[in-house]
Amino acid sequence: MGSGRDVAVFGAYGHTGRFVVAELRERGYVPLLLGRDQDKLLELAQAQPGLEARQASVDDPASLDRALNGAVAVINCAGPFATTAAPLVEAALRAGIPYVDVAAEIEANVDTFAHFAERARAAGTVVVPAMAFYGGLGDLLVTTAMGDWTAADEAHIAYGLSSWHPTTGTLASGVVSGQRRSGRRVRYTGGRLEYHDDALPTLEWSFPAPLGPQSVIGEFTMADVVTVPSHLAIPEVRTYMTAKAAADLSAATSAPTAVDERGRSAQTFAVDVLVRSGGTERRAVATGQDIYAISAPLAVEAVDRILTGRTKTTGVASAGAVFDAPGFLRALSSHLSLHVPLDTRG
Ligand SMILES: NC(=O)c1ccc[n+]([C@@H]2O[C@H](COP(=O)([O-])OP(=O)(O)OC[C@H]3O[C@@H](n4cnc5c(N)ncnc54)[C@H](OP(=O)(O)O)[C@@H]3O)[C@@H](O)[C@H]2O)c1
């Protein structure tokens, strides 16, 4: 029997998994350390006395069932999620527990909605894909900016990253996603995903101070094009990335290095969201430090809300659909600065 506070973390020894383990401990949960590599698990368990490590493989459903035994929820931090998401969702459904992942892979996120929506709803459980910086935070901000609107003409999500030192997992997920779309690009327009070979536009985006105007790559399409339209009637959803960070990612610059006691890197971010309906624009902005580190409070806050019944729906649902978005963002005030101005034009 578990403690009733045991939350399984698959991929616990990865860069993001370690932040999630630390955040769970801070919030009074007991992380179960799950992963495929026994040596890496034991090394992590030695550094985290008192925590249990359980080896499990996505190719072996029985090992996943054993690993989830006694857990009240599972957070999947092991990417590429094209490989790990479906087996872990299946295992969570067998165990009758909620599933949360940090996947930033558009096609894998689409698959989670497509393959598990009915079964998760029938089971009365919650499956939340992309509950992280990409996909999750943008969706919470769009939902917050929408306010009482249920539909809008356009949503724009601009990522103002000071730099981007990608992890091995990020790069591997990018390769898998690229292969899945045969090297083509993807955007969300006319109410659907569209694959194309057009060059990506470079334009200027005016972030709020202190970032100010920045050169950004347009149609730098992130998981928000899956999460936002999953519950909001917005036919045009566009994401943008500061050109400097996009160049860092292409160059696969070195992995993030810790600069503070929490293990965060020096990277800063602003996520600037604009929704437009007719002539009216609404905006919501969040700023903070380290896109990997912030994914941990996002995923753990999600689990905490699910376990305490603070949800709006069951089945497969994105952050904005399943949670009270403004309340969720306010709960992260020690990690995020939030600014939601009034309508900017009416
Ligand atoms: N949505 C977002 O904003 C967001 C934020 C953070 C991370 N992510 C995503 O999360 C994933 C992990 O990122 P990271 O920064 O933690 O990378 P990382 O440090 O390289 O860790 C990757 C983890 O995934 C595990 N893994 C990979 N393939 C696996 C498989 N087939 N079976 C079991 N475990 C497997 C690795 O285990 P081994 O060492 O044994 O290979 C490792 O624990 C990436 O896909 C990344 O894009 C998304």
Side-chain angles (χ1 to χ4, degrees):
M1 281 295 288
S3 64
R5 303 284 291 172
D6 292 1
V7 175
V9 184
F10 191 65
Y13 51 75
H15 185 74
T16 307
R18 288 169 191 264
F19 283 117
V20 169
V21 167
E23 183 71 20
L24 283 166
R25 292 199 99 167
E26 263 180 48
R27 300 279 303 254
Y29 287 99
V30 182
L32 293 173
L33 311 176
L34 272 50
R36 63 176 168 182
D37 188 311
Q38 183 70 10
D39 292 340
K40 291 181 187 174
L41 277 176
L42 290 178
E43 195 184 317
L44 178 62
Q46 271 167 10
Q48 298 272 350
L51 297 189
E52 191 181 338
R54 299 177 178 176
Q55 194 274 336
S57 163
V58 292
D59 306 321
D60 179 0
S63 74
L64 294 175
D65 292 346
R66 283 193 298 275
L68 295 186
N69 185 31
V72 292
V74 56
I75 304 177
N76 184 5
C77 299
F81 292 86
T83 309
T84 69
L88 259 294
V89 177
E90 292 278 5
L93 288 172
R94 286 195 299 276
I97 59 174
Y99 166 97
V100 167
D101 76 31
V102 301
E105 293 160 47
I106 291 165
E107 288 76 11
N109 292 329
V110 167
D111 284 350
T112 300
F113 277 96
H115 296 158
F116 295 105
E118 280 176 28
R119 285 168 56 201
R121 198 177 306 116
T125 193
V126 187
V127 169
V128 191
M131 192 56 254
F133 180 75
Y134 294 116
L137 179 56
D139 186 29
L140 290 165
L141 287 165
V142 169
T143 310
T144 299
M146 290 285 283
D148 58 353
W149 292 352
T150 53
D153 300 323
E154 298 164 15
H156 302 268
I157 302 163
Y159 288 104
L161 271 52
S162 60
S163 64
W164 190 351
H165 294 272
T167 61
T168 309
T170 294
L171 295 172
S173 290
V175 169
V176 169
S177 293
Q179 287 166 348
R180 290 191 69 173
R181 54 184 86 128
S182 307
R184 306 193 77 196
R185 300 193 166 105
V186 62
R187 62 188 163 213
Y188 189 86
T189 183
R192 63 182 183 86
L193 287 176
E194 178 181 274
Y195 288 87
H196 66 95
D197 297 308
D198 300 345
L200 297 184
T202 301
L203 54 152
E204 194 173 87
W205 184 274
S206 282
F207 290 93
L211 202 52
Q214 296 284 325
S215 175
V216 296
I217 308 293
E219 296 179 4
F220 192 95
T221 304
M222 303 307 283
D224 314 279
V225 300
V226 181
T227 53
V228 170
S230 73
H231 67 109
L232 293 170
I234 308 178
E236 304 292 327
V237 180
R238 302 205 185 108
T239 57
Y240 308 77
M241 176 63 65
T242 31
K244 159 99 175 62
D248 286 349
L249 181 65
S250 303
T253 53
S254 54
T257 44
V259 297
D260 67 16
E261 72 290 347
R262 302 177 81 98
R264 296 183 301 183
S265 72
Q267 178 196 48
T268 58
F269 62 80
V271 185
D272 187 8
V273 160
L274 185 93
V275 290
R276 185 175 292 130
S277 180
T280 307
E281 291 178 352
R282 291 178 172 177
R283 209 163 176 175
V285 190
T287 57
Q289 182 182 342
D290 192 329
I291 65 172
Y292 296 96
I294 192 63
S295 294
L298 284 162
V300 173
E301 177 68 17
V303 163
D304 188 64
R305 284 178 178 249
I306 294 167
L307 293 176
T308 52
R310 291 176 292 154
T311 50
K312 295 196 288 183
T313 187
T314 56
V316 182
S318 71
V322 74
F323 305 116
D324 158 33
F328 192 114
L329 291 171
R330 278 195 302 274
L332 295 193
S333 60
S334 59
H335 302 278
L336 280 176
S337 298
L338 181 65
H339 185 51
V340 185
L342 298 173
D343 291 0
T344 50
R345 207 165 56 194

